[in-house]
Amino acid sequence: MPLYEIFSHSDRFHYRANIFSLATCFLILCTILTFLPPFLFAYYAGGFWVKEASYSEQPRVNYSAKYIVIVDNDDSTRNRFFASSYLDINTVFRDVLITGTNTFDAYDTNRDGVTDQFYITIQVLFGSTTTVVSLQNLNVWIIFQYELRARQYILMETMALVNLFPPDNMVLSNNPNVTVLGDLVLKQRQPIQSSGSDSTYNQSIINLDNLFTTSSIDLNPVLDEYFTRNYYTSYEPQYVRWRRGATSGTNILTINIIVNTKQQAIRFIPGFWQEFKWGWIQYICALLPFILVFNRIKEFVFQSQLVRTSVEFPYHRHKS
């Protein structure tokens, strides 16, 4: 019956040398050149250490029922109107204050347990029809409580700023009705962390210390501070429609704002283990060819005795 080779292995030669010898220096040099260049190659080739990544999350948003409405008027006698849900701010701007009401509904359209749409209705009453109002510009601030949980826990007060320009033929005496549909989108000046919590911006956006004047409505300092935050929300309208309402004894402006809070990509700084998980794979891929090449070099140098060593030969079987 013929026999077949089913396994084989090479004989092992042992090379010995003094620790302070040329052979030892050569082995140390080969070890350094085997492990260090692959690391430098993987690191400087880019992508070895992930500085930033992104993930997808559905934010948890709650409408705080707080709002500010600023109406610019063409009339020279009274060129601005103001309405809000803030009692303190209403006191500051009492000279230009008008009455406003606010109602809203929250919906979970995809039934995943997280609210993803708000239908907010704000009605602003300008008084009797004798009040001359020619709409020039309309600004609405809607305040939300915004929460992220998947990576770093972030809780903050954010805002949807709606800026509208009525049509030229829109008259307030017709009780106009405007409907705006858009998305509440998170804006990041820097990525969030991969873990921990941050409640730096969990405070009122409206800083009363900047609102001491009663001669004019100057909310620019509030906006400047808000839009320079590391992360904030912005309202991106997709649809705007103006309609005329029924004529009545008062001038009423109805503002319908639909806010969608959909899932979105969020930038974050990966943690150590996530970076290590991708980094070592790139390092190993670059290391394997170096191991193969330098093992061949060491085998050639020691077999050829290019450096002086003491050779211990493997065991030899006697022929039967």
Side-chain angles (χ1 to χ4, degrees), residues 117-292:
Q117 188 178 78
F118 296 91
Y119 196 105
I120 303 168
T121 299
I122 300 175
Q123 283 192 325
V124 183
L125 286 72
F126 291 85
S128 64
T129 55
T130 58
T131 303
V132 178
V133 180
S134 178
L135 295 177
Q136 181 183 16
N137 187 25
L138 175 63
N139 282 281
V140 184
W141 299 14
I142 307 174
I143 309 301
F144 293 93
Q145 198 72 18
Y146 196 93
E147 184 179 3
L148 296 176
R149 297 182 180 180
R151 295 286 179 173
Q152 185 181 22
Y153 179 78
I154 294 180
L155 180 64
M156 59 181 175
E157 186 174 276
T158 60
M159 176 176 61
L161 176 60
V162 184
N163 188 18
L164 300 173
F165 295 92
D168 295 336
N169 59 353
M170 186 59 63
V171 182
L172 188 61
S173 59
N174 290 329
N175 294 329
N177 185 311
V178 58
T179 300
V180 187
L181 185 147
D183 299 329
L184 188 69
V185 180
L186 178 68
K187 301 293 184 179
Q188 298 178 252
R189 293 186 179 275
Q190 67 180 33
I192 66 174
Q193 300 296 321
S194 60
S195 61
S197 61
D198 186 0
S199 57
T200 305
Y201 302 120
N202 188 25
Q203 55 187 350
S204 179
I205 295 175
I206 311 300
N207 185 2
L208 293 178
D209 294 337
N210 297 328
L211 305 175
F212 286 130
T213 178
T214 58
S215 59
S216 63
I217 300 177
D218 185 12
L219 296 178
N220 289 330
V222 178
L223 293 178
D224 292 341
E225 182 178 354
Y226 178 75
F227 288 113
T228 55
R229 294 178 3 172
N230 291 330
Y231 27 85
Y232 58 92
T233 57
S234 176
Y235 184 71
E236 299 181 356
Q238 308 293 330
Y239 168 85
V240 179
R241 180 182 181 185
W242 287 86
R243 293 181 298 176
R244 293 182 175 87
T247 304
S248 62
T250 58
N251 292 332
I252 301 175
L253 172 62
T254 303
I255 308 167
N256 302 308
I257 302 175
I258 303 174
V259 181
N260 295 314
T261 57
K262 60 184 180 181
Q263 196 170 41
Q264 69 172 95
I266 298 173
R267 298 184 295 119
F268 75 102
I269 299 175
F272 171 78
W273 290 113
Q274 183 173 359
E275 294 178 336
F276 178 79
K277 178 179 66 175
W278 296 108
W280 79 269
I281 295 176
Q282 298 176 69
Y283 176 65
I284 292 297
C285 292
L287 176 64
L288 291 178
F290 281 82
I291 292 178
L292 179 62

Side-chain angles (χ1 to χ4, degrees), residues 39-57:
F39 175 80
L40 297 177
F41 172 78
Y43 185 85
Y44 288 104
F48 173 73
W49 204 252
V50 181
K51 301 294 190 302
E52 184 178 308
S54 63
Y55 73 99
S56 182
E57 181 179 356

Side-chain angles (χ1 to χ4, degrees), residues 44-85:
Y44 288 104
F48 173 73
W49 204 252
V50 181
K51 301 294 190 302
E52 184 178 308
S54 63
Y55 73 99
S56 182
E57 181 179 356
Q58 169 71 48
R60 288 165 171 79
V61 181
N62 291 313
Y63 178 45
S64 61
K66 299 177 181 178
Y67 69 92
I68 291 178
V69 177
I70 304 173
V71 180
D72 289 329
N73 182 22
D74 281 341
D75 186 66
S76 59
T77 58
R78 190 173 184 184
N79 59 4
R80 187 161 289 185
F81 295 88
F82 180 87
S84 82
S85 61

